[in-house]
Structure formats: C-alpha cells, structure tokens
Amino acid sequence: MWKKSKVSDQTATGQVGIKKKSKVPGVMITQFIEELPEGQSHPDFIRKPIALTIQEGKLAIFKAIVLGDPTPTVTWARNNGDISDPKKYQTKFDPTSREHTIEMPNVSPEQADTYKCFATNEFGKATVTVILNVIEVGFKKNKANQESIATDPKELKAVLKRKSKVRPKTEVRKDGEIDPKFWEILLSSDKKDYERICAEYGVTDFRWMLKKLNEMKKEREQEQAEFIKSISTLKHIDVNPDGTASFELDFNLLDPSSKIFIYKDGEMIPYSQDIDIEMKHNLNQVGKKYIFTIRDLVPDDAGLYQLDIEDVNVFSTEFKIPMVDFLVKLKDVKAMEREDAIFECVLSKPLSKIMWVGKNNRLEQGEKYDITVSEDKLIHRLVVKDCMQVDKGIYAAVVGIKSCNAWLIVEADDNLDSKGKKKPRKTTQAGGAGADLAKIAAEQQVKLQKERDERIAAVKTASVEKEAAGAVDNSASSSSSADSSSAEKEVADVVDSRASASSSTDSSSAEKEVKRNDSVDTGLVRSVPDTSGKDKGEDDRTHFTNGESNVPIVRGEPAELAGNLSTSKANRDGEKLYSKVGHRQDNYVESVLKTSLNITDFPKFDPDDLHKFSKNVVVKVGQTASFKMPFPPQDSSEINWFKDGTELFDGGRIKVVKELNQSRLQIKECLRSDSGEINIQLKNPFGTAEAFSRLIVVDKPGPPQGPIEVIDSSSSVIELKWNPPGDTGGSEVTNYLVARQQVGQSVWKKVWDSSADRLSFRDRNVSHGEKYIYRIYARNSEGTSDPLETESIMTETLIFPGQPAPPKVVGVFKNCINLTWAPPEKDGGTKILGYQLEKCKKDTNQWVTLNQVNDPIQALKYAVKDVSEGSEYEFRVSAINMSGAGEPSAPSVMVCAKNPNTRPRFKDPIDFMVVRAGNSIRIKVDYEGSPQPDITWLKNNESVSPWVNIINVEDASTLVIPSSKYSDSGVYTIMAKNSSGQSSFDIEVRVADEPKPPGPVELEQVVYGKVIITWAPSPEQEKDDRLHYLVEERNSNTRVWRTIANRLFCNTYTASVHSGREYHFRVYAKNDMGFSDPSKSPTWGINELRVPLVTSLPAMITLERPPSILVPLKVHSPPQGYQLYMTCAVRGFPTPHVTWYLNGNCINTNNTYYITNTYGVCCMYIIRVGPEHSGEYRVVAVNSFGRAECSTKLRVKVEIKKRSRVPGVMITQYVKELPRGKTLPDFNRKPIALTVQEVQ
C-alpha cells in the first residue's frame, strides 16, 4: 500500500523581502536588501532535490548543490514533524562534489512528508520543497488501524485489489491448474506468438483457448475503459544496447491523477519517475508514451512484469534471461580500409539470434553488416563490410545480461599509387576468433546432449519411484481413513517425520499433525495429546528416548527433527500404533518432543548491492575514494576490508566505518599506488561472504620512454622516434606533443600534435646547418606528462648542384617555344629533384622565373607558352636538389616567337552541306599557314557572284549567301596561297526543299504471287537529282507498315504477295531535306485483277513471332546535370521481356534509372546525367521465339567554363580534354553595340 505525504502551504506568511526568480524551476529566493554589494550574491540552487518514491526499508537520499557569496548555510526541515533524530536523519556535506545530502536509512511510512531545504546567507534566502512517498510493504501488528482495516470488509476488499492476479513464485499451484501468468501474457501478445506460448505452458486445446481469450479480452477492455481513453504501440521488454531493459506503451489517461503500479511475478515493486534518480526501476513519461526501465540487470530480474492503472491490468510482458555464457569471446580486429572485418563468438547453449551492438547502436542485417549463425546455433558471426575510418570503435555481442566486446581498428591505406583516388574494394577479410570454432562447438554439443540424456534418465527414475510410493500411500491411507476423520481440524502445518532404524516400516510413512507455535524464534514443536483417552500409567506410555537437543538451522533452508520412541510395541491389541495424533478407542499416545530451533543466517549480500559494489571506482590523484556495502543486520558478524589481499585498518589516510547494516571504506589523498582490488569480508560462525571491487587512481601519464632515436638528420628534415610511457596514469594516452627550440634562442615552439598510435615525428621545417632541441610530451584525459628531452641535433650543410648545359631551342611557334637541356655534371651529393627555368626578353635585363623551387620541372624539356608573338627571348635553367636551386646555366640563343613558314593547310573542313531553300548558306573553313595566305573562293571552277559575302579573318574564311535558291547548289572551292605553297578544298552545297508527294499509285499482277507497283514521278524529280522513293507495305496479317524498298530512283517496284491477305502500299518521295507526304495505293486482294487462288487445306493464322526492334535507340549527348529520356519501340508475341544494359551490366534494378515498358514502348529516364552515366546502352528483348537488341552510345558533355581573350565572351567546354588539333569556338571579333539614327 502507498503512504503519500501531505503538501502544506509552501509560502510563509508575513515574509518580508524582495522576491527573485531562480534559473532552476521551483526555487523561491528572497533577497533581504535592495542592492547587493559588488562581488556578492544571494543564495541559489544549482541542483535541487528531486521527488522520490521508495520502498519501505530502503535508503532514501535527497541531494542539493547551492551557490552564493558568502557561502550559504544549508538546513533541512519537514512539514509534519522534526528531523532531530540522528538515527532516522543524517545530514552530510561532501567538499569534493559540493553536495549537501540528507539520508534516511531504513525509511518508514511515517517519514513520508514534504521536506524543505533552506540556503541562507546575510543577503537572502533560497527555499525549495520536495516530496517523499514511501511504499509500505506488508502489515504491521503494532498499528492501531490495522485491525479496523482487516475487519472492515470494504476496506479489506480495497486492499486485496492491490494484489496482482499472477501468483508469486512462493505460492504453490494445484495439479492441472493453468498458471494465470499464461492468460496475462496472451492478453498482451501478438497472434503470431500464441502457438509458442501455448507450447511453453502445455496448452493443446487451441479452440478452447481462443474462445476463452476473446471473452477475457472483452472483459479487460471494459475494465480499461474506466481509466484509459486509448492504448496502442505495445513494445515488449527487451535488452537495450546500453545494458538496460525496457518496455514501452502509449495510452491516454481519463484522470491524470490515476495511480500506476508495477508488479514483478505478482509482487509490487518500487520505481522512480525521475531519470536523474538512480533507482533500480524507473518509469519515464514522454507525452503519451510510458517507458519502464530496469537498470543494473541481474539474473533475478527475469520474470513477468505487469503495469496496472489503479486495480486494472493494462500490459503484461515476460522478461526471459537465457543462462548462456561465452565459450569463445570476441577478439580485437585490425583491418585495412575497404577490407571486411569478422567478429566471432561461441555460446555455451544454442540460440537462434543474439544482439550485436556497434558503438552503442543495435546492428541489423543489411548492406553494411552481415549477421550469420551456424546450424547448431552455437557459433555467431558478424561481418563489417567495406571498413572505413568511421567504422572503427567497440563492437559487442549481447546475450541476455551477458556480453563481450572487442575493438575494430581500421588502418589507412598508405599506398602512394592510390592517393587522390577512390580506393578499390578489397576481397580479403580480417579478424576472426583465431581458433577452431567448429571443433569447440562440436564438443559443446556433445556435452549438452550428455546432460540432456542424464536429465531424461533422472526424470524416468523419479517417475518410477513416484508410482511405487503412490501404491504404498494408497494402502496406508485406506487403513487409517477412519482414524484420520476425527483428527483435530486446528492443526496448521504437516511436518514429514522420518523414523529411526528401530521403528517399524509402517510408522516410517506416517504423518504427524502438529500445531506451529506463534513464537517462531523458540522453535518449540509439541505433539497434541489425546484428551479423550484414559491414564494408563507410566509403564504403558510411549515417550521419546532421544532427539530433544537444540537444532541450529539456516533461515530459508529446510529443517529436520527426528526422535526415537521408548516402546518396542509396534501394535497394540492387534492394531498398529501410529505416530499421528488422534482419538482411538483403547489407547492414546502422549509424548512431547522438546527441541529448540536456533534459526541463524549465513552472511550474504543483496544481489543489487553486490552488483553496484562490483563496479570500478575511478578517482583522480589526491581525491578521496569511497566504498560502501550494505548488508542485513546480524549478531556476532565480523567485517574486514582488504586491498590486494592485505587487510586495511582504520588510521592515517584510511577510514573504516562499521555500522549496524552497512560498512564504508574511505581512502583519502589517493596515490597511483593505491590502485588495486578492494574486497569486503563479512564473517560469522556459519560462513563467510565476500564482495570485490577495483580502485583505479588516474593521473597524468609519465614521460615517454627513451632513448630518442634519430632516424634521419639531413639538411632539410629531422626525424625522431620514441617509446610510449611506462606509466599511462591509469587511462589511455590520447596524443603526443612535440616542442622545438633552436639552439641560441629561448623560445619553445609547438611543432606537432598527433594521435597515440604515432610514435615518430618528421620535422621538415628546419634550416641547414642549425642545431635543435626537442621535447616530447604524452597526454591523457588527466593532463600532460613531463617532457622527454633530446640533446642538440644538427642538420647537414648545403651542397648545391652544378650548372646544367644551356637550353636548346627545338621548336618555335607564335605562342609556344620548346626547349631541352642536359643535366649538370655535379649533383651536390644528393638526387636532382628537378629544374627551374627562367626567361629574359630582348632589350631587358630582368630574368623571370617560369616555375618555383618547390614545384620543379621533372623532365629535361619544357614548352614555354607565356610568350608574345614577334618578341625575342633567351632562356636559362638551374638544377634543384635537397639543398635548393644551384647556379643557373649560360643563356640560350635568342629566339623570336613566330610560326615557321609552312604551306597552307585546311583544318577539318566539311565536304558536303544541305540547305533548305530560302535559308542562308554559311561555309566556314579554318586553315593555318605562315605567312598568312591569300584566300580565293570559286563556284563550279568559276569566280563567285559579287552578291556573295566573303569574310576573312586570321586563320579562317567564311562564305555567306543570305537567302539561298536552287541555283546556288554546286561545288564551292576555297584556295589558299602563300610563299610556301598553295592548297584548295571543295565543298558541295545542295539547296533543296521538302519534296512533293509522288503521283497516283497503280497495282498490276502479271505473275502469281507478284504485284507491280507503279507511280507518277514527284514534281521535284527534275530539279533534284538526289531525290528517290521509298515504298511501304501493310497486310491484314501484321497490320503494321514496313519498308519493302528504299532509295529507288525509278517509278516502279515489284512486291511479293500471299493469297488470302489484303495489302496496302504507299510511296514516299525523299531527298536530303526529308520525306514527302505518302501516295497510297488501292487495296490489293479484293479487286478483279488478282489471280484466282486454288484453295487447299485451310491456312492457320498465328500471331506468335520473335521480338523485333521497330524504333531503335538514338545517340544522345546531353550536358552534365540535364535530364535524359531514351526510348525505343519493341514488338513480339508473346510479349518479350526487355532488359537494359550499361557497358554490359544490367541496370533494371538500379534506382538511379527510371525504366518503363508500355505496350512495347520502352523508356529509360535519368533525372540528372553525370559522367558515370556515359557508355554504351543496350536493350535486349527476349521471348520464347527468339531475341532482338539494339544499342547506342551516350556521351555526357562536361560543361567547363573557359575564359576568352575577348572580353564579354563566354566559352563552355563539353569535354575534359580536347583532342589533339581541336580547339574551342571563340570570337576573334565580337559584335559592337551600335546606336544609329532612324532610317539609317
């Protein structure tokens, strides 16, 4: 039952002062003066106490942290009572954490109240209130109102309602009775789990189960409707990656003040509703969601958990903890980038699935992780695919409350060939358990099978013994049924008595009905005398000859009492003498067995306290380490503390406090040497209990270990190497720092900071011939170590290379001069790294460098492009080694930047052009030649008309006819001539228009199976000698038009026909501009000219045909980032299956492409094309009669912005690299803005 506190008025009447608002909600501040002095402040709370709901008998603690200047005084009080009793209330202050606490050991329901915490100084007062609720356990005999509660039926009914319908583990269930837990679990489970739950509880009648379950669900929903609006999202209990277990559910309460109860195996458990309070159980509410969490999991946490609102059950879930251990644990894995990592473990019992955790996140099967389990379900494996740097960290395998973890270390690939490129995926795998897991699993499977066989044999043996014992009990009960009917009905317990060897065989199975005395501690057990019998005298009485000695027993363990009777008579007057007390006609048994049961306890610790104590205690050097261990109060118990096997005594830095129900150990001003194993020993005459923990004292690490090894000391670099520190300070070294001082200077400069796995440093920022001293520091989370210092290290002196040979000019152009040179004879003792080139313009004395020393020219040649046409230059070169650039060479000969004299040559001109009549003709031809050639244009070997515009610019000539006519067709010739020679080139120009359709089409059959198609010529035939005709056919079988003849320069064509079909023909005229409209023929097959067909067997018409491509794919060249549609048409029956390929790889399942097929029209859509989409696309159509395919190429234009020499011109380049001899379009002369007068 609950004991709730009464909340009184939190504001004192008559209080004088200025009210202030605190940053912490719920804190009331009263300032005593109007203005605070500078640097002073009123009290305030940094951390306020938090409301607490706790079970009776536990330790209740309120904590608070205050601030203020001067330091406030903290006091505690309660509304309805005082806190002066030191046994019930203990106030403390921890100077290290600055926490003020009030502790209430063995809290009782009378202490439930509203508590206040006051922080006061001379400038003000801060007050905060907090409520303590106590869950009362059991009934108390000394309470006056307990009797009224027990006697009042209405109150008793309310108390009984607080019990769960699930019976506690200690309550025995009748044979054949279904555990109520079965129905509670079914009411909150999914339908897919019904079969498993029924099998677990031995229920086989599914129809009866479903019928009763539906009735219970309706009843439960009606009960829940009194308190809940709606309920959803039921998530059963499961272990989380952080080591806790939780279950979730969403519901809306009709009354927010309704009480929520949590039961475990039918017994109420206390919980906290504040996540900041570290209790075992916590119920957190976020909106409509309620999350119940169990911390510090132990095996005893397994069981059935139920959430009730008032007296109505809302949700039930069973928490099962498999008793499994790890035979082979995970091992650390070191993998390279793009390599797979494997973690493996072996379990002691088969499980189909375990939880894998990576960096505190649950891992699932997918593209990144591959989770497998062996057939025997003992070997579990996790594969981390394609390891990258982000994948490194701790990975764990979790089975119930047990887990094992290991590190994944991902090493970078330092291959120089792959720098700057995407590294390829590796096919190798790293890691594994490093043992024969199959052998270990097979041995464990044999062991499990052996244990299973032993249990089966034991069950069979027990069943046989039970049947034999049942037969004996049946015979004994039949003979004593008349006597047992008159036994006393007030007997409370039945104790099994085991007779001694001298007693008869019948009395060994008899039962003694005894009445338990109210005082359990005395342990006095008496037999009940038969008051109806008569006194037979001392000689005829039966009494106990031994067994009246004190018997010590352990609390919670079974006790056995035994004694021998003084008489040797097993029967009297022909009737058996029973030890069972009862009325008999002629005799009675009057004997008293007096013995004292000394109930004692073995020393033991609470499992929750033991689990908390086992956690490591980590403190810094100089701080105080505290250990506390509660235990049940016991007499004559001895408490001892040990560190690494050595007993600790109170005194000096060590303080040992021994109280009635707990003991504490404090080690003040901890040193690194204090680290070790701490254990407490609880000892009494009946045994010893121990608990173990570990103290870890952390400090800054020691200096790195020397000596420092100088790996390299050249003129430009110093490389050092060292060893990690011998003492890491109790925590891992995170990084190393390197500082440098130049000899002769007093300043130390930090030059390097790296991770802990780097134990070497390469200093490239050094000067030649100088001396340096280095200091190396190790750092962890606690600070920086003392330095490890080197002696002075000197770099090498500078030795420069000699002079190269003067550069030679091997090629001269107007915008480029090609040079070569020979290496120097002396390299200065080191490798030549490259060369530095300089130029000097004629009539100047300034040498201009063409490249920097840190960017040397690797080859012995160079093309100088930074030159001006017509200017003269000379060049010189210097060799570069580790010391720098040497002395430059002698200058080269003076050379002028101009093109050499060459014969004119045309650059990739077109030789044929078609222009629609009326459009302009523009023929542009690029050429090159030196000196600039003269250009002449001819038409059909005659000079062009003066109406034709000729535009000549540097290296290009353009012929322009503004409006073309048929007469402008012909062969145009361009001639270029200079002093070096002459060249010419012919371009054929066709001026045409869309042709007109041919004349009427006529059909005639002369030969069986052949039809002659004739048509009148198109009017354009006389004007255009390139005009030709195309004939198409459609019959009643295919019903599609197909081309049967093309490029016909005549007006007739003979086609093949089949009897029984109708044919249609149409003729197109075609020239360089395109097709004309068709001229259609009359229908063939119904006119009188067809030859009569000889009918024979009926012809079978079938529509089945192999696939064919009606419209093939087209070539596409879209710019990068644009969308792309690619289509083709396919036919065939049955409908063919269409597959798209890119460079031989199927892309039907690639989400980058949107692919459709609608009635044979196949479309592929790309939202944004990129370079990765370039390549050959192929469409393959397949059905049962064959296959057809078509292909095309896609070239994505990469838009690269270029700068023109002419201002205002924008150039876009579509390819990354231009082919040799090709250039981008550019303007030599752009149009100029013009302002003219009207009519000009």
Side-chain angles (χ1 to χ4, degrees):
M1 60 183 296
W2 286 76
K3 178 73 174 179
K4 292 209 67 170
S5 62
K6 298 179 181 179
V7 181
S8 62
D9 186 10
Q10 298 179 352
T11 304
T13 59
Q15 192 177 55
V16 179
I18 303 172
K19 300 296 182 181
K20 291 288 185 178
K21 189 175 182 180
S22 173
K23 295 181 180 179
V24 179
V27 177
M28 297 181 293
I29 300 176
T30 303
Q31 184 173 313
F32 296 155
I33 60 176
E34 293 185 358
E35 294 184 2
L36 293 173
E38 185 177 357
Q40 307 293 314
S41 64
H42 55 69
D44 198 358
F45 283 83
I46 299 177
R47 177 181 176 184
K48 68 175 183 178
I50 299 173
L52 182 62
T53 300
I54 195 168
Q55 186 178 347
E56 175 187 4
K58 298 290 185 178
L59 174 64
I61 301 177
F62 289 132
K63 299 180 180 180
I65 301 178
V66 300
L67 56 80
D69 192 5
T71 303
T73 302
V74 177
T75 57
W76 299 83
R78 58 178 290 188
N79 279 358
N80 303 311
D82 62 86
I83 58 172
S84 59
D85 189 353
K87 295 183 180 180
K88 293 185 177 181
Y89 302 95
Q90 300 174 4
T91 58
K92 299 178 181 179
F93 173 67
D94 188 351
T96 303
S97 61
R98 310 294 299 172
E99 283 186 342
H100 295 267
T101 60
I102 179 171
E103 297 182 0
M104 288 168 268
N106 297 323
V107 66
S108 62
E110 291 79 8
Q111 293 176 274
D113 201 350
T114 299
Y115 290 80
K116 291 185 178 181
C117 182
F118 303 96
T120 310
N121 66 7
E122 58 184 277
F123 299 114
K125 180 179 181 181
T127 307
V128 66
T129 60
V130 62
I131 299 175
L132 172 64
N133 294 322
V134 179
I135 301 175
E136 187 174 354
V137 180
F139 295 96
K140 303 298 181 181
K141 294 182 179 179
N142 57 352
K143 290 188 177 181
N145 62 347
Q146 182 66 47
E147 296 179 359
S148 62
I149 294 177
T151 56
D152 189 353
K154 295 182 179 180
E155 296 294 335
L156 180 60
K157 183 177 180 181
V159 172
L160 293 177
K161 281 186 177 181
R162 288 291 172 263
K163 293 186 178 181
S164 171
K165 296 180 180 180
V166 178
R167 299 177 182 175
K169 293 181 178 179
T170 56
E171 186 173 338
V172 180
R173 193 173 69 252
K174 298 179 180 179
D175 292 341
E177 181 183 356
I178 297 179
D179 193 344
K181 183 192 298 185
F182 168 74
W183 298 109
E184 296 297 330
I185 295 175
L186 277 182
L187 286 171
S188 301
S189 299
D190 297 332
K191 292 183 179 179
K192 60 182 178 64
D193 298 326
Y194 286 178
E195 184 176 356
R196 174 184 59 80
I197 298 172
C198 289
E200 182 177 346
Y201 286 88
V203 177
T204 57
D205 192 345
F206 294 101
R207 181 173 299 176
W208 168 81
M209 180 273 295
L210 292 174
K211 182 179 179 180
K212 185 172 181 180
L213 181 63
N214 290 331
E215 295 174 355
M216 297 179 67
K217 280 188 175 180
K218 292 180 181 179
E219 182 181 353
R220 181 63 56 85
E221 290 173 357
Q222 293 175 358
E223 294 175 352
Q224 293 177 354
E226 298 179 6
F227 303 99
I228 300 176
K229 293 181 181 178
S230 62
I231 182 170
S232 61
T233 315
L234 305 177
K235 182 180 177 183
H236 287 267
I237 193 166
D238 194 9
V239 179
N240 301 319
D242 59 357
T244 63
S246 63
F247 64 82
E248 303 176 7
L249 65 162
D250 294 356
F251 58 83
N252 281 333
L253 290 174
L254 293 173
D255 184 5
S257 62
S258 299
K259 297 178 182 178
I260 299 177
F261 302 91
I262 305 293
Y263 295 91
K264 174 182 176 291
D265 292 330
E267 297 180 358
M268 186 186 300
I269 58 176
Y271 63 86
S272 170
Q273 290 184 318
D274 197 323
I275 59 176
D276 294 332
I277 299 178
E278 295 185 358
M279 284 188 66
K280 176 72 175 179
H281 305 98
N282 177 265
L283 182 64
N284 185 28
Q285 179 183 359
V286 182
K288 297 189 301 180
K289 179 179 289 186
Y290 290 79
I291 305 173
F292 178 74
T293 306
I294 308 173
R295 301 179 180 175
D296 301 327
L297 296 177
V298 294
D300 290 341
D301 292 328
L304 178 68
Y305 288 84
Q306 295 176 280
L307 186 143
D308 289 11
I309 298 177
E310 296 296 345
D311 57 348
V312 176
N313 178 256
V314 175
F315 181 64
S316 300
T317 179
E318 188 172 17
F319 185 28
K320 295 182 178 180
I321 299 179
M323 303 307 293
V324 183
D325 204 351
F326 290 91
L327 299 180
V328 178
K329 296 185 177 182
L330 303 182
K331 292 189 176 181
D332 295 343
V333 178
K334 184 179 292 185
M336 300 294 293
E337 284 186 354
R338 304 307 304 274
E339 192 177 25
D340 293 349
I342 300 178
F343 292 95
E344 295 176 320
C345 64
V346 180
L347 306 182
S348 61
K349 292 183 180 179
L351 283 180
S352 58
K353 185 178 180 181
I354 66 174
M355 182 172 68
W356 290 93
V357 178
K359 297 185 288 186
N360 292 330
N361 293 319
R362 188 191 297 263
L363 306 181
E364 300 293 344
Q365 175 74 27
E367 297 181 358
K368 184 63 180 178
Y369 304 102
D370 187 12
I371 299 174
T372 58
V373 61
S374 61
E375 293 183 0
D376 55 14
K377 299 180 181 181
L378 293 176
I379 304 174
H380 292 258
R381 182 177 290 105
L382 169 67
V383 179
V384 184
K385 303 177 185 177
D386 193 9
C387 292
M388 305 300 289
Q389 289 295 330
V390 296
D391 297 325
K392 63 183 179 181
I394 297 178
Y395 289 78
V398 181
V399 183
I401 61 174
K402 295 192 176 182
S403 64
C404 62
N405 54 56
W407 275 90
L408 172 58
I409 302 172
V410 181
E411 296 182 342
D413 190 356
D414 297 331
N415 188 3
L416 298 177
D417 297 337
S418 61
K419 281 191 174 180
K421 303 178 182 178
K422 186 176 180 180
K423 301 177 179 62
R425 174 79 181 273
K426 292 181 172 62
T427 59
T428 57
Q429 293 181 332
D436 191 352
L437 302 186
K439 181 179 179 181
I440 297 174
E443 294 175 353
Q444 181 64 14
Q445 204 167 9
V446 172
K447 181 179 178 182
L448 293 175
Q449 184 62 36
K450 183 178 178 182
E451 294 177 355
R452 193 178 297 112
D453 295 340
E454 291 176 353
R455 288 198 299 270
I456 292 173
V459 170
K460 291 181 179 179
T461 304
S463 63
V464 172
E465 293 178 354
K466 184 177 180 180
E467 290 176 359
V472 175
D473 292 340
N474 290 336
S475 62
S477 61
S478 61
S479 62
S480 60
S481 58
D483 297 333
S484 61
S485 61
S486 60
E488 292 188 6
K489 296 181 180 180
E490 297 180 356
V491 178
D493 297 329
V494 177
V495 180
D496 293 336
S497 302
R498 294 174 174 82
S500 61
S502 61
S503 62
S504 64
T505 57
D506 292 335
S507 63
S508 63
S509 61
E511 296 180 349
K512 295 182 179 180
E513 296 184 4
V514 297
K515 188 172 184 179
R516 178 173 297 174
N517 194 302
D518 289 339
S519 178
V520 179
D521 294 337
T522 61
L524 182 61
V525 180
R526 297 175 58 90
S527 63
V528 181
D530 188 354
T531 57
S532 63
K534 299 180 180 179
D535 192 0
K536 300 295 181 180
E538 188 67 36
D539 296 336
D540 294 335
R541 288 190 178 184
T542 301
H543 62 275
F544 289 97
T545 60
N546 60 8
E548 295 187 353
S549 60
N550 295 339
V551 179
I553 61 173
V554 180
R555 188 184 302 275
E557 299 294 332
E560 179 177 324
L561 302 177
N564 294 333
L565 293 174
S566 61
T567 181
S568 60
K569 297 180 180 180
N571 55 65
R572 181 171 182 171
D573 297 334
E575 296 181 359
K576 293 184 178 180
L577 180 64
Y578 292 95
S579 59
K580 184 175 182 180
V581 178
H583 292 280
R584 300 186 65 85
Q585 293 180 355
D586 300 326
N587 61 76
Y588 67 92
V589 178
E590 182 177 352
S591 179
V592 177
L593 172 61
K594 298 181 179 180
T595 182
S596 177
L597 300 180
N598 299 325
I599 302 177
T600 59
D601 282 337
F602 279 123
K604 61 180 179 180
F605 298 111
D606 183 80
D608 292 345
D609 297 332
L610 190 63
H611 182 73
K612 293 179 182 179
F613 184 80
S614 63
K615 295 182 180 180
N616 295 340
V617 176
V618 182
V619 297
K620 297 181 180 180
V621 169
Q623 293 184 347
T624 300
S626 298
F627 297 86
K628 183 180 72 172
M629 190 62 190
F631 49 81
Q634 294 178 357
D635 297 333
S636 67
S637 62
E638 181 181 352
I639 305 166
N640 298 308
W641 290 85
F642 297 88
K643 174 186 172 295
D644 294 332
T646 304
E647 186 172 358
L648 302 177
F649 298 97
D650 193 4
R653 294 189 299 111
I654 299 175
K655 182 179 181 180
V656 178
V657 179
K658 300 178 181 178
E659 299 176 357
L660 179 62
N661 60 349
Q662 67 178 3
S663 179
R664 290 180 289 136
L665 169 67
Q666 285 188 345
I667 303 178
K668 300 178 180 179
E669 299 177 2
C670 289
L671 306 175
R672 282 282 296 134
S673 58
D674 292 331
S675 298
E677 185 181 65
I678 303 294
N679 69 301
I680 180 174
Q681 186 183 83
L682 182 61
K683 185 177 181 182
N684 67 8
F686 303 98
T688 303
E690 290 186 311
F692 295 87
S693 183
R694 178 164 290 277
L695 173 61
I696 301 175
V697 183
V698 296
D699 193 11
K700 66 180 182 180
Q705 290 184 334
I708 296 179
E709 181 181 355
V710 181
I711 299 177
D712 188 9
S713 177
S714 61
S715 59
S716 60
V717 65
I718 294 177
E719 185 173 1
L720 307 175
K721 185 177 181 182
W722 61 89
N723 297 318
D727 182 12
T728 62
S731 60
E732 295 184 358
V733 174
T734 57
N735 58 324
Y736 291 96
L737 303 177
V738 178
R740 184 187 70 186
Q741 181 192 56
Q742 186 172 341
V743 175
Q745 298 180 2
S746 60
V747 178
W748 286 91
K749 181 180 179 183
K750 176 184 173 182
V751 293
W752 194 61
D753 186 353
S754 78
S755 58
D757 56 349
R758 295 288 300 276
L759 297 175
S760 62
F761 165 62
R762 191 176 181 88
D763 189 3
R764 298 180 181 273
N765 190 21
V766 294
S767 301
H768 306 284
E770 297 291 342
K771 292 183 178 180
Y772 298 93
I773 301 175
Y774 293 87
R775 287 179 178 175
I776 303 169
Y777 302 84
R779 177 181 289 177
N780 64 5
S781 58
E782 303 304 319
T784 306
S785 70
D786 296 331
L788 173 64
E789 187 171 319
T790 67
E791 298 178 354
S792 60
I793 303 173
M794 182 176 180
T795 59
E796 295 181 356
T797 57
L798 299 177
I799 303 177
F800 297 99
Q803 286 183 311
K808 294 182 180 180
V809 180
V810 295
V812 180
F813 302 94
K814 65 179 181 180
N815 55 2
C816 180
I817 298 176
N818 295 324
L819 304 173
T820 62
W821 58 85
E825 296 180 357
K826 298 180 180 181
D827 57 7
T830 58
K831 179 183 178 181
I832 298 296
L833 302 178
Y835 299 89
Q836 184 181 36
L837 187 63
E838 299 174 278
K839 70 175 181 179
C840 181
K841 198 172 184 179
K842 187 178 181 181
D843 299 332
T844 64
N845 295 325
Q846 182 179 3
W847 288 93
V848 179
T849 57
L850 300 178
N851 66 292
Q852 299 299 323
V853 176
N854 56 3
D855 185 20
I857 300 171
Q858 303 291 336
L860 295 174
K861 60 182 179 179
Y862 190 75
V864 182
K865 296 182 179 180
D866 187 16
V867 294
S868 300
E869 183 179 2
S871 300
E872 296 185 18
Y873 299 91
E874 59 181 350
F875 303 91
R876 67 182 185 184
V877 65
S878 304
I880 302 173
N881 65 1
M882 295 293 295
S883 299
E887 187 176 352
S889 66
S892 65
V893 297
M894 193 70 69
V895 59
C896 181
K898 65 177 184 178
N899 290 333
N901 294 337
T902 57
R903 179 183 176 183
R905 185 179 68 86
F906 298 101
K907 297 189 291 184
D908 299 327
I910 58 174
D911 57 359
F912 181 76
M913 179 183 297
V914 178
V915 181
R916 184 187 297 272
N919 290 353
S920 64
I921 300 175
R922 183 178 294 270
I923 308 173
K924 181 182 179 182
V925 179
D926 295 328
Y927 59 86
E928 60 182 10
S930 183
Q932 186 73 17
D934 296 328
I935 303 298
T936 304
W937 285 89
L938 303 176
K939 177 187 176 184
N940 298 330
N941 296 325
E942 295 181 359
S943 298
V944 296
S945 170
W947 300 104
V948 177
N949 296 330
I950 305 296
I951 303 173
N952 292 324
V953 295
E954 185 179 3
D955 296 338
S957 179
T958 306
L959 181 144
V960 179
I961 301 177
S963 180
S964 61
K965 299 176 293 185
Y966 281 99
S967 59
D968 291 328
S969 299
V971 177
Y972 290 81
T973 303
I974 180 174
M975 300 181 61
K977 182 178 181 182
N978 65 4
S979 58
S980 299
Q982 177 178 330
S983 298
S984 62
F985 187 79
D986 295 336
I987 301 101
E988 183 180 358
V989 177
R990 285 268 176 187
V991 179
D993 205 346
E994 291 183 357
K996 296 180 180 179
V1001 180
E1002 298 179 356
L1003 303 177
E1004 181 182 2
Q1005 183 176 12
V1006 179
V1007 180
Y1008 176 81
K1010 300 292 183 179
V1011 173
I1012 300 174
I1013 307 170
T1014 59
W1015 60 89
S1018 171
E1020 307 293 335
Q1021 184 172 338
E1022 296 180 357
K1023 301 178 183 179
D1024 193 349
D1025 58 349
R1026 293 174 60 88
L1027 185 139
H1028 56 276
Y1029 299 95
L1030 180 143
V1031 181
E1032 289 185 345
E1033 170 198 278
R1034 189 186 73 175
N1035 58 49
S1036 59
N1037 187 19
T1038 60
R1039 298 185 180 182
V1040 293
W1041 289 98
R1042 67 184 184 90
T1043 302
I1044 59 175
N1046 194 3
R1047 299 193 65 81
L1048 296 176
F1049 289 90
C1050 58
N1051 301 104
T1052 181
Y1053 179 74
T1054 302
S1056 299
V1057 294
H1058 298 276
S1059 61
R1061 301 180 185 178
E1062 289 184 355
Y1063 288 86
H1064 299 267
F1065 301 93
R1066 60 187 182 187
V1067 181
Y1068 295 86
K1070 182 182 180 183
N1071 64 4
D1072 294 320
M1073 295 306 299
F1075 291 90
S1076 69
D1077 294 333
S1079 294
K1080 298 182 180 180
S1081 70
T1083 301
W1084 176 259
I1086 60 174
N1087 54 41
E1088 299 176 355
L1089 296 177
R1090 63 183 180 181
V1091 177
L1093 297 177
V1094 179
T1095 59
S1096 59
L1097 295 175
M1100 180 178 293
I1101 300 175
T1102 179
L1103 299 178
E1104 296 179 341
R1105 64 183 67 250
S1108 61
I1109 306 296
L1110 298 179
V1111 180
L1113 297 173
K1114 296 181 180 180
V1115 177
H1116 296 269
S1117 298
Q1120 182 179 0
Y1122 281 60
Q1123 60 183 0
L1124 170 69
Y1125 284 98
M1126 192 177 291
T1127 61
C1128 67
V1130 180
R1131 74 172 180 179
F1133 190 84
T1135 303
H1137 176 72
V1138 179
T1139 308
W1140 289 77
Y1141 294 89
L1142 171 59
N1143 296 329
N1145 297 322
C1146 178
I1147 61 174
N1148 278 31
T1149 58
N1150 194 329
N1151 295 332
T1152 308
Y1153 305 90
Y1154 180 68
I1155 298 174
T1156 60
N1157 184 0
T1158 307
Y1159 300 107
V1161 179
C1162 304
C1163 301
M1164 187 270 291
Y1165 173 58
I1166 305 175
I1167 298 178
R1168 292 181 180 271
V1169 295
E1172 68 274 8
H1173 298 126
S1174 299
E1176 182 183 5
Y1177 286 82
R1178 184 161 53 94
V1179 175
V1180 179
V1182 180
N1183 68 4
S1184 57
F1185 290 93
R1187 62 180 284 164
E1189 63 179 59
C1190 63
S1191 62
T1192 185
K1193 289 187 178 180
L1194 172 64
R1195 181 174 63 88
V1196 179
K1197 296 180 180 179
V1198 181
E1199 294 189 356
I1200 303 174
K1201 300 299 181 181
K1202 294 288 186 177
R1203 187 174 181 181
S1204 173
R1205 294 182 179 179
V1206 179
V1209 176
M1210 295 183 294
I1211 301 176
T1212 302
Q1213 181 176 321
Y1214 291 148
V1215 295
K1216 290 185 178 180
E1217 296 183 1
L1218 293 173
R1220 187 174 182 181
K1222 306 293 183 181
T1223 60
L1224 297 172
D1226 199 357
F1227 286 85
N1228 286 332
R1229 178 181 177 185
K1230 71 175 183 178
I1232 301 175
L1234 185 62
T1235 303
V1236 297
Q1237 188 176 357
E1238 185 179 2
V1239 192
Q1240 294 295 323

